[in-house]
Amino acid sequence: MKLTTDVCIVGAGPGGALLAYLLAKQNISVILLERFKEIAKEFRGEHLNEEGEEILKKYGLFEKIEELGLLRMERLEYWENGELFKTVLPAPNIGHLGIHVPQSHLLAVLINEAKKYSQFSLMTGTTVTDLIKDEEDCIKGVKANKEGKEIFIESNLVIGADGRHSIVRKRAGIDVTVRKHGYDLLWAKIPAPQNWEPAIKMALIDGMQLSLFTQAKGYIQIGWNIPEGSFPALRKQHFTPFIDKLAKAFPQLETTVRNHIKSWSDFVLLDVQSNSTDCWGKDGLALIGDAVHTMTPTGAFGLNSAMKDADTLATILTKQTISTVDLMNCATERKKAVEKLQAIQIEKEQTFATQFVIYS
């Protein structure tokens, strides 16, 4: 099968889906590829900050997502030994400290809005295997596999929005610098008790950060930092003493924690790292989101940064300039912004424990 389009976007996460919608809206033909058959595959970072909220409101998308359901965080709390000792409230003009948006709601709106334009096409269950290049090594499209059939998609521009293990980046021969942060992360999700108010709650356990994020649909997401590479040894230890620490940190959650987290298999391990690269693309190729700048979970910047990449790129691309736009020069502003955010993440991680010094 051979297809032709102006832009081929690999990866239907928030960045890729938003960019596909914005380009189709500008009468630029787009094929959006997603390797999973269902685009609603869960990702962990589901919190909007001011930047992400602003982008969605800019294009009239926020209200549509709100109709499906989202949840504003009313405060940030710090807890020690089961007691609240510090509360941070939002600025009056903002009214919240981040918004939880279920990824299924966000992607449903982005894809449904893109489908209103005939220039948009979505291909799920489609895995990119290689890039198509001309004699001068310029990228002219992708090779993909869909249900065992090989597909050739020729395009004026390929967008790699396929995450931190980006096949597009690898096939383009773009090197990435990986930074480890000294910790990995255990995720878990539990039902929220009755009368649980929307908040972000933080605790310090054995010198490591434990975070609770209230979610829409009546859940709490647990993010528990553990020393880097320690999970294999941790799994060999008895489970109860570990979960006892969570119950002690937040006594009001003891019942629901013990009912819903009963073994190590109830946690999902995230290998925490941040990635960066000096090259955000080359002739015929641009990278956005985690494909070019993986963020750690700290500060919930990843989702919002990916959408900002998409918004920035959409403003400089037109049907006439897709083949000639200087992508490297255009990436300069975003590179500087991302570098600042990654520096902020490192600072937050290194100084988290100081929030508990006064109490101790």
Side-chain angles (χ1 to χ4, degrees), residues 96-206:
H96 61 78
L97 290 170
I99 304 173
H100 175 249
V101 177
Q103 66 96 26
S104 58
H105 295 179
L106 173 60
L107 294 182
V109 168
L110 294 176
I111 297 299
N112 288 339
E113 290 300 305
K115 285 180 177 178
K116 294 179 180 180
Y117 299 92
S118 60
Q119 300 282 21
F120 171 78
S121 177
L122 171 66
M123 297 177 65
T124 59
T126 304
T127 302
V128 169
T129 57
D130 208 346
L131 300 175
I132 300 173
K133 301 178 182 178
D134 64 13
E135 306 79 32
E136 298 179 351
D137 207 36
C138 294
I139 295 167
K140 297 297 182 181
V142 303
K143 298 178 184 178
N145 186 288
K146 181 177 175 64
E147 298 176 350
K149 297 181 180 179
E150 192 169 40
I151 302 171
F152 296 84
I153 303 175
E154 295 183 355
S155 63
N156 294 320
L157 180 63
V158 173
I159 305 293
D162 51 338
R164 65 173 177 168
H165 301 299
S166 171
I167 187 67
V168 173
R169 185 188 67 227
K170 292 176 182 177
R171 292 292 183 266
I174 297 176
D175 294 328
V176 64
T177 299
V178 178
R179 179 188 179 108
K180 302 295 288 186
H181 288 246
Y183 71 96
D184 294 327
L185 188 63
L186 293 179
W187 288 119
K189 183 184 289 187
I190 58 175
Q194 284 189 338
N195 302 319
W196 184 268
E197 297 180 353
I200 302 169
K201 300 177 186 286
M202 301 287 188
L204 190 66
I205 297 181
D206 298 334

Side-chain angles (χ1 to χ4, degrees), residues 246-294:
L246 175 55
K248 180 180 178 181
F250 299 104
Q252 65 273 48
L253 288 181
E254 180 165 4
T255 300
T256 188
V257 163
R258 297 194 187 281
N259 286 341
H260 295 278
I261 306 181
K262 298 187 177 184
S263 72
W264 293 115
S265 61
D266 291 321
F267 285 104
V268 176
L269 177 69
L270 175 65
D271 174 20
V272 175
Q273 64 183 48
S274 60
N275 295 351
S276 61
T277 175
D278 292 332
C279 180
W280 283 44
K282 51 178 58 178
D283 288 340
L285 169 69
L287 301 174
I288 66 172
D290 280 359
V292 69
H293 55 69
T294 301

